Amino acid sequence: MDQPGTPPAAPPRTPAVTGGALAALVHGLAGDTRLVDEVVAAARTQSPEAARLHRQESRHHVAALIKAGCRAFLRTGEPGDDDFTEAARFGAEGAALGVPVAALLSGAHAGRSRILEIAIGRGRELGLADDVLLQGLLRLDRYGNALARHVLEGHRAAERQLNIDRRAARIRLLRRLLLGEENDEDPARFGLSAVAHYHCVVSDAADPARVRELEQAFTRCGGVLAPVGGRLSGVTPRIPGFGEKPGSLVVTTPPVPLEKATEAHRLAQTALDAARAHGTTGVCGVVDLAGQTALAGQPLLAGFLRDGLLTALDPADDFHQDLAGTAIAYLDHGQRLDRTAESLHLHPNTVRYRLRRLRELTGFAETGAQLTVLETMRWWWALWAWHRPPA
């Protein structure tokens, strides 16, 4: 019985209600794509060196780390080493791409702080008691500390594997040749000549084992390969032969003198991003990617074309997606109905019907009327910008 003059005790919160609300909070964090963007932005702002990593790969890692952490939180007991596989991989890939471990940890701490801020706000919106919210945040914080430790361990293990001391000199040299930075690394130390011509190389490889394999392959050809600007890049007198596709994308330029390496490297990077958008893998030359590279350099114009020519199409309409995909295949196959139908495993009449419906909606060319090269490029570019999945 309450003593006179004292307020009545608050009814105890049942574990089921508390646990359900806390679980709802964690589930909401695990599936929130906006949270991923917030964390990536915080990490990249806090750590400019970590921001050298490609944004899409950083986003992939952050999403995986958040999901792994939420899964571990919802289970009973403390997380085990298996819960930190993605953290160790993140650290290893940072080392493979030349990002210092301090930069990775700085970004990780900034991301963790942002998650905690968001979790506090949402927990209060759900009506969680302060003591319950505090217990949950402390557990999330312990997970964050363990995550940072595994990032560190993954980075150190990859450094040992990659022979980081010799590699640091290669990075300095390539930053001088490809980014125009001022330093005293001598190209002759690595067998490069001022009068010779070299292919510029850029790859999207990030797995430490694959990075090491590519570095060694190009070294055997007399080349120098190392992470520059968040991408494996370099110069080489010749391209090594690969018995099979190297398991990643490798873009090369024709040979250029070293004083042209900065421009060639910039072009190779643009070509790499364009090829990735098309799902290309293996070894590709920028000459083979000329069309994709030129179009990738004008994203604003691509948006104007998409919005100007295809405004009648709804991205949420599956049939409209089929129409655009069929039209892209039609243009890719020389505006031939039979080849388009074969590539899509459709009857030619189905292809003809879809193209007719697209023409009714957008004014696309009449079936059988051959578009000129420039008209083909204009429609293909608009359709690709509309149809491709968002990054």
Side-chain angles (χ1 to χ4, degrees), residues 73 116 119-120 132-142:
F73 183 91
L116 293 177
I120 290 172
V132 174
L133 187 57
L134 178 60
Q135 291 175 13
L137 293 176
L138 287 174
R139 188 172 178 190
L140 281 175
D141 196 51
R142 288 198 302 273

Side-chain angles (χ1 to χ4, degrees), residues 61-235:
H61 280 300
V62 168
L65 290 171
I66 290 175
K67 287 182 179 179
C70 291
R71 284 197 303 267
F73 183 91
L74 292 169
R75 292 199 311 267
T76 58
E78 293 299 316
D81 288 343
D82 290 344
D83 294 307
F84 298 100
T85 302
E86 190 66 29
R89 183 180 296 116
F90 177 61
E93 291 191 4
L97 295 176
V99 180
V101 68
L104 288 182
L105 293 178
S106 177
H109 289 313
R112 181 178 65 176
S113 297
R114 187 67 185 126
I115 289 176
L116 293 177
E117 290 173 4
I118 293 172
I120 290 172
R122 295 188 185 179
R124 287 176 174 162
E125 289 174 3
L126 291 171
L128 285 175
D130 286 345
D131 59 334
V132 174
L133 187 57
L134 178 60
Q135 291 175 13
L137 293 176
L138 287 174
R139 188 172 178 190
L140 281 175
D141 196 51
R142 288 198 302 273
Y143 176 84
N145 288 329
L147 182 145
R149 186 174 68 253
H150 282 79
V151 169
L152 175 61
E153 292 173 355
H155 192 282
R156 286 176 173 171
E159 279 186 337
R160 291 191 294 270
Q161 181 184 12
L162 292 164
N163 187 15
I164 205 69
D165 293 334
R166 173 73 172 174
R167 198 166 183 250
R170 296 203 308 271
I171 292 173
R172 286 195 300 271
L173 172 66
L174 291 176
R175 292 185 70 84
R176 173 184 173 183
L177 295 177
L178 304 181
L179 302 184
E181 290 188 0
E182 294 291 337
N183 62 56
D184 56 0
E185 286 296 338
D186 184 3
R189 175 185 174 188
F190 294 89
L192 303 180
S193 169
V195 297
H197 287 56
Y198 299 92
H199 302 270
C200 279
V201 180
V202 182
S203 175
D204 66 350
D207 176 72
R210 177 62 66 187
V211 168
R212 186 165 183 263
E213 178 184 334
L214 288 173
E215 287 181 349
Q216 292 176 342
F218 280 92
T219 297
R220 287 193 293 269
C221 292
V224 181
L225 207 65
V228 175
R231 289 290 190 206
L232 189 64
S233 307
V235 294

